[in-house]
Amino acid sequence: MSEIRAPRGTAYTAQGWPQEAAKRMLMNNLDPDVAERPQDLVVYGGTGKAARDWPSFHAIVRELDALKGDETLLVQSGKPVGVLRTHEWAPRVLIANSNLVGDWATWPEFRRLEQLGLTMYGQMTAGSWIYIGTQGILQGTYETFAAVAAKKYGGDLAGTLTLTGGCGGMGGAQPLAVTMNGGVCLIVDVDRTRLQRRVDTRYLDVIADSLDEAVSIALKAKAERKALSVGVVGNAAEVFPTLLANGVAIDIVTDQTSAHDPLSYLPIGVEPADMAEYARTKPEEFTDRSRVSMAKQVEAMVGFQDAGAEVFDYGNSIRGEAKLAGYERAFDFPGFVPAYVRPLFAEGKGPFRWAALSGDPADIAATDRAVLDLFPDNDPLARWIRMAGERVAFQGLPSRICWLGYGERDKAGVRFNDMVARGEVSAPIVIGRDHLDAGSVASPYRETEAMLDGSDAIADWPLLNALVNTASGASWVSIHHGGGVGIGRSIHAGQVCVADGTALAGQKIERVLTNDPAMGVLRHVDAGYESHSAGGVQIPMAR
Amino acid sequence: MSEIRAPRGTAYTAQGWPQEAAKRMLMNNLDPDVAERPQDLVVYGGTGKAARDWPSFHAIVRELDALKGDETLLVQSGKPVGVLRTHEWAPRVLIANSNLVGDWATWPEFRRLEQLGLTMYGQMTAGSWIYIGTQGILQGTYETFAAVAAKKYGGDLAGTLTLTGGCGGMGGAQPLAVTMNGGVCLIVDVDRTRLQRRVDTRYLDVIADSLDEAVSIALKAKAERKALSVGVVGNAAEVFPTLLANGVAIDIVTDQTSAHDPLSYLPIGVEPADMAEYARTKPEEFTDRSRVSMAKQVEAMVGFQDAGAEVFDYGNSIRGEAKLAGYERAFDFPGFVPAYVRPLFAEGKGPFRWAALSGDPADIAATDRAVLDLFPDNDPLARWIRMAGERVAFQGLPSRICWLGYGERDKAGVRFNDMVARGEVSAPIVIGRDHLDAGSVASPYRETEAMLDGSDAIADWPLLNALVNTASGASWVSIHHGGGVGIGRSIHAGQVCVADGTALAGQKIERVLTNDPAMGVLRHVDAGYESHSAGGVQIPMAR
Ligand SMILES: NC(=O)c1ccc[n+]([C@@H]2O[C@H](COP(=O)([O-])OP(=O)(O)OC[C@H]3O[C@@H](n4cnc5c(N)ncnc54)[C@H](O)[C@@H]3O)[C@@H](O)[C@H]2O)c1
Ligand SMILES: NC(=O)c1ccc[n+]([C@@H]2O[C@H](COP(=O)([O-])OP(=O)(O)OC[C@H]3O[C@@H](n4cnc5c(N)ncnc54)[C@H](O)[C@@H]3O)[C@@H](O)[C@H]2O)c1
């Protein structure tokens, strides 16, 4: 397999920009600068794929090139299964990944079907072709740590030490997110290459040679109130308890090992080199052992909380796995959403990301300026956009992410479309988001944990979200199961719009980027949350 | 609550026919001639509701009356939760009912949420506003018994005796379906009023005063090769074993008690009068007891099969429940879909139903003639349409159902729209279907049981189906969980189009009624089934 990179520039082979955009974003997901294991079609999250297999990938590309402006391609768990005639307001691609009927929504059944070649794990933006590298998670992580700082440390993390595990595709954003907030971060990963990769991309400052060295570097920086991130090789299930036992002065504790999939978390006593083979040949035994190890790590996290630290689950289901291993206090610390993010969701605020199909970083610089111009009073947004411009190295097609709410996203989208029309950027802009959004997900261990009305597990909302985006003019729409928390634990939807500068695209973008965040407002108002945005949305039973 | 009946005729209060149609069909679902318990908003299936509660019902009606031609109403488990601006090709209503995240997809969690007022059980056509009374199930049941006759008895059931249980909203179609095929039917129900209701509507011929009398009437008719249906009051969990033990010469055995919901199946030893209170106050104990009783009934069914009878599960999950009670051989007899229906699904064949918004039976007579005219070579279809015209008493708005496949449904739909345009019928026609269709459901105990490639539990297909119908111009689209087999066991989608005689409606109908059955062809070709229709559909990986 030769390397895949999205075509750049304004010459294209598909029958229209929306189709070309889908093709480029699929390819961009597999760019070696973007994907974790492009040769296996894995984009991020250990197993999150962009297409089911190589024949499926090539068939999707071929179909996208041939697809007419009133046709729609159907993708079933990474495989193209049909092309149907629809109409020009309809999405060009409809995607459903990893979905299983409830009683069969288990890892063993999923793996059985995956091995039969009948499904794939789509994660969130992997199988829906809008992953933009670690910037996506960096921004969310930055927001989360900023919220921790605001809640407990007067607005910044100077003089605090954060402990976390897992420096992979998503977790690798943590050290930079902490230092951007002025704090010190100690990050543990079993795999040195993962740490090294983050050093190479300036997300991580140093790798220590031992745990002792790591601790002394970290404590020194903390004492000097310097922003610094330190990586150390080790198993979090061992390192976390050791640090707790040694009484190291840690202020904030979280984790982003790939605990959502027990076959991706290294159990204590297993060599990293033996992991893949062991997980493949004895999945049940491996699962039992990794869960027991996770329970050890979670027990230490609860210990840190008992000792006064700010502890939260960062959306990888580690509490759920620890509970399965029999650790009763696993859910003693909260998920990050109820702890920090929910008030934003109630305003339809969530991840708004875009990429420049030209491949030209100047196009993103232009859109950055447009966003600063559109929302002059939003200080945190301005801080992020400026810092991102300085510190974020693009991966694959140049891209940007920030959080915008109801009444904001449509303005930004329409502005981008106007910029394309006027030639202020050199090619169309793709606008999408993560599935971790205000109204697009049901995930009782993460986005919908501890809803006010107890509606955590109700999955009507993400399905309505996908239907609404399909009915509003999105270019591609997806419904996924599992995502970051694993099989049986979430259902979520994604949408992507293409700003190609046409009037039709402008209308579609205005509708989609109004209705998509509106779903967040509706969902949260229905659950009893206050929303300043509720007045702008038509809510029948609230009239 | 005063009685609800859909308005008839050509004067309407909504802003357009699609909106008016949704309102009339919602109301029609609650017509006392249609619904099982209209006062509780229950349409069929014991608990399948049209709206979450009365305030929700009235709010939906109000919103539908106000809804503009480029707006979309969102309904979350029977409650209207938002109105969004979309466009004229978009559905006017998007519905998601009863959906839960996999690990929470259990009856106790569903009931907890239902009691909190956060969800409702939508069944299939109850919560998606396209139930047409027992004719719908009559036609499917007629087709199934015809297939049994074709497979084992040379084309008709004369001289055979069929034993079944459950004479409710759906199950009540069985006696007439059997006699339409020339056979004798013995049907057991604990509730005499259910049997009486079917006598009143000419679906059931007689009610016997005792089991002995029922058996002797049935055996006499069988010996004389006369078509006859006999009802008897009793608990199927007791009557089935008794008949088996007595060696009664029964040829065909099935069941349609409401076994999908253990709280709706009467356990042995419980008085029908005490059932509701007992189920409400001690749901767990009740569930245990009803499952044990179901196991007894299923054990008898397996016994009949061992003795040479044709035995099949009629889609109520009774095998699954019996298995939960510990009866190992529960799945020894097949579901009706793999046994009889799958080859039809591979051709996109499935339930095609329509209703006359005028309320005038003459409009259905006109469409009946149009269907006979369109498909002159389809003998079974012609037989059904003629027999239905004679024997089926309309419930609520006059309606018709027949099974049509890929390449047929669009023709019928476009013809109906032309008839509306030309005034050959007096008001628009609503065209929809059950969720039990070729490409709209994942249900491993029923529609997708024993798929050739093992993909029974993959739920991407119904979600893609809903997205495709949303993208093709359907008037309302729904995604439901549970339906006829219960929580955790299925995900399915529905669509309804409105033929209002406009050119736009004609285009939408042509797209939807091509793409919707195409999903059945795609799904079955992907699973390895042969399909004569595959040539007409664009299937990327089959090229
Ligand atoms: N908070 C969120 O919104 C969010 C978003 C996306 C993903 N996630 C979740 O975060 C987790 C990490 O995602 P990722 O994309 O970085 O996964 P990844 O597979 O790329 O990285 C996981 C890392 O954990 C390391 N690891 C595994 N076992 C370990 C152990 N016992 N001790 C220390 N390190 C260990 C691996 O070496 C790897 O580097 C996943 O569970 C994912 O679902 C959360
Ligand atoms: N084959 C299909 O495609 C299909 C379609 C729709 C529904 N169903 C399923 O068929 C079942 C019946 O549906 P319905 O709408 O008729 O339900 P219903 O609730 O209207 O009727 C069920 C009937 O079963 C009777 N009953 C309950 N326990 C009994 C017992 N122990 N012995 C004898 N009778 C008993 C009740 O008195 C009632 O009349 C449901 O499980 C439904 O999900 C199957």
Side-chain angles (χ1 to χ4, degrees), chain A residues 63 76-77 79 81 83 85-87 89 99 101 103 118 453 457 459-460 471 488 511 515 522 526 538 543, chain B residues 63 76-77 79 81 83 85-87 89 99 101 103 118 453 457 459-460 471 488 511 515 522 526 538 543:
Chain A
E63 296 298 331
Q76 183 259 320
S77 289
K79 177 182 176 183
V81 293
V83 172
R85 177 137 184 255
T86 52
H87 54 78
W89 269 87
N99 297 287
V101 178
D103 283 359
L118 297 172
D453 62 347
D460 297 328
R511 300 280 202 294
N515 293 343
L522 295 175
D526 194 71
Q538 290 189 55
R543 275 171 193 173
Chain B
E63 295 297 329
Q76 183 259 321
S77 289
K79 177 182 175 183
V81 292
V83 172
R85 177 137 183 255
T86 52
H87 53 79
W89 270 88
N99 296 285
V101 178
D103 282 359
L118 298 172
D453 61 347
D460 296 328
R511 300 279 202 294
N515 294 342
L522 295 175
D526 194 72
Q538 290 190 56
R543 276 171 191 173

Side-chain angles (χ1 to χ4, degrees), chain B residues 78-112:
Chain B
K79 177 182 175 183
V81 292
V83 172
L84 298 171
R85 177 137 183 255
T86 52
H87 53 79
E88 62 171 6
W89 270 88
R92 296 286 72 82
V93 191
L94 295 170
I95 298 171
N97 285 331
S98 329
N99 296 285
L100 294 174
V101 178
D103 282 359
W104 289 262
T106 64
W107 278 114
E109 174 68 5
F110 177 79
R111 287 207 199 90
R112 192 186 71 81

Side-chain angles (χ1 to χ4, degrees), chain B residues 418-491:
Chain B
D418 289 345
M419 292 171 73
V420 176
R422 286 196 296 261
E424 292 167 25
V425 289
S426 58
I429 302 284
V430 161
I431 306 168
R433 59 163 171 77
D434 196 68
H435 299 199
L436 190 174
D437 196 11
S440 63
V441 56
S443 187
Y445 291 153
R446 199 159 90 182
E447 290 87 344
T448 56
E449 176 178 344
M451 293 294 289
L452 213 51
D453 61 347
S455 60
D456 308 18
I458 290 193
D460 296 328
W461 300 97
L463 301 178
L464 285 174
N465 180 266
L467 295 176
V468 162
N469 284 321
T470 302
S472 299
S475 298
W476 61 99
V477 174
S478 53
I479 302 177
H480 288 198
H481 170 181
V485 289
I487 289 295
R489 292 184 177 155
S490 66
I491 296 177

Side-chain angles (χ1 to χ4, degrees), chain A residues 36 44-46 123 137 166-172 188-191 194 234-237 256-260 264-266 314-316 336 436 446 483-485:
Chain A
E36 290 283 331
Y44 73 92
Q123 265 283 3
I137 194 78
C167 196
M170 294 279 150
V188 186
D189 199 296
V190 288
D191 183 348
R194 296 303 185 98
N235 190 317
Q256 283 214 326
T257 57
S258 40
H260 74 279
S264 298
Y265 181 97
L266 188 75
Y314 214 147
N316 64 352
F336 71 111
L436 191 173
R446 199 159 90 181
V485 289

Side-chain angles (χ1 to χ4, degrees), chain A residues 90-107:
Chain A
R92 295 287 71 83
V93 191
L94 295 169
I95 298 171
N97 286 330
S98 327
N99 297 287
L100 293 173
V101 178
D103 283 359
W104 290 262
T106 65
W107 278 114

Side-chain angles (χ1 to χ4, degrees), chain B residues 4-82:
Chain B
I4 289 166
R5 291 186 198 271
R8 265 69 173 167
T10 55
Y12 63 87
T13 52
Q15 310 302 306
W17 270 115
Q19 300 93 306
E20 178 75 11
K23 184 184 67 182
R24 289 192 188 183
M25 294 309 291
L26 162 64
M27 289 177 158
N28 195 54
N29 264 14
L30 294 171
D31 186 312
D33 292 339
V34 175
E36 290 284 332
R37 285 187 285 121
Q39 69 281 11
D40 300 325
L41 294 144
V42 169
V43 182
Y44 73 92
T47 53
K49 291 167 77 173
R52 198 182 301 176
D53 46 34
W54 287 110
S56 294
F57 168 82
H58 292 297
I60 294 171
V61 169
R62 188 187 64 216
E63 295 297 329
L64 286 172
D65 264 341
L67 198 74
K68 301 200 190 80
D70 65 350
E71 289 182 332
T72 297
L73 171 66
L74 308 185
V75 175
Q76 183 259 321
S77 289
K79 177 182 175 183
V81 292

